[in-house]
Amino acid sequence: MSNVEVIVPVAFFAMIFGIIVLVTYYRNKRMERTALIASGRDASIFKEEEKKTRINSLKYGIFLIGIAIGFIVGDSLALGGVMTEGVSYISMVLLFGGFALLVFYLLARKMGKETDKIGSVNE
């Protein structure tokens, strides 16, 4: 039995499961919003979720770029004979992944300070 014969059914069931999870998630989210609006409450809580989504996208984007740079540097170190292949890949991916998270932290902190300044000016 080849790998393709196993991968296709597993991928099919994973796709069906993912669709069910997404449909359930968005249906519940819509029902929560409708209930908040019907009870007369403020639905601004969902705007905070959108801000978190943007900041998470930034974090994962910077992190994945750092990992990619780690792979490139690790490959060049392995090809140059500076380090063995396994050590160079693992160490550089971890190093640049951590560096990317540090860069994200500094950017997020700077963005938070700018948001606080804008908020205090508007008050």
Side-chain angles (χ1 to χ4, degrees), residues 12-44:
F12 176 74
F13 286 112
M15 182 180 65
I16 296 297
F17 178 75
I19 289 171
I20 291 170
V21 167
L22 286 174
V23 166
T24 305
Y25 172 76
Y26 283 111
R27 184 174 2 126
N28 288 341
K29 191 173 179 179
R30 182 179 49 87
M31 289 171 52
E32 286 178 3
R33 287 182 184 217
T34 305
L36 275 175
I37 293 170
S39 66
R41 294 187 186 155
D42 187 21
S44 64

Side-chain angles (χ1 to χ4, degrees), residues 10-103:
V10 170
F12 176 74
F13 286 112
M15 182 180 65
I16 296 297
F17 178 75
I19 289 171
I20 291 170
V21 167
L22 286 174
V23 166
T24 305
Y25 172 76
Y26 283 111
R27 184 174 2 126
N28 288 341
K29 191 173 179 179
R30 182 179 49 87
M31 289 171 52
E32 286 178 3
R33 287 182 184 217
T34 305
L36 275 175
I37 293 170
S39 66
R41 294 187 186 155
D42 187 21
S44 64
I45 190 171
F46 296 106
K47 291 182 181 177
E48 293 175 11
E49 288 181 11
E50 291 173 7
K51 186 187 293 184
K52 288 180 184 178
T53 303
R54 286 191 313 178
I55 201 89
N56 279 337
S57 296
L58 177 65
K59 176 173 62 174
Y60 293 133
I62 292 173
F63 182 63
L64 291 174
I65 289 170
I67 288 178
I69 292 171
F71 273 115
I72 292 169
V73 171
D75 189 44
S76 65
L77 288 175
L79 291 176
V82 177
M83 299 174 132
T84 62
E85 188 173 326
V87 172
S88 66
Y89 280 123
I90 291 172
S91 63
M92 291 300 111
V93 166
L94 292 175
L95 177 71
F96 282 96
F99 182 69
L101 289 175
L102 182 64
V103 168

Side-chain angles (χ1 to χ4, degrees), residues 1-14:
M1 196 155 125
S2 69
N3 291 338
V4 175
E5 293 174 356
V6 174
I7 292 174
V8 170
V10 170
F12 176 74
F13 286 112

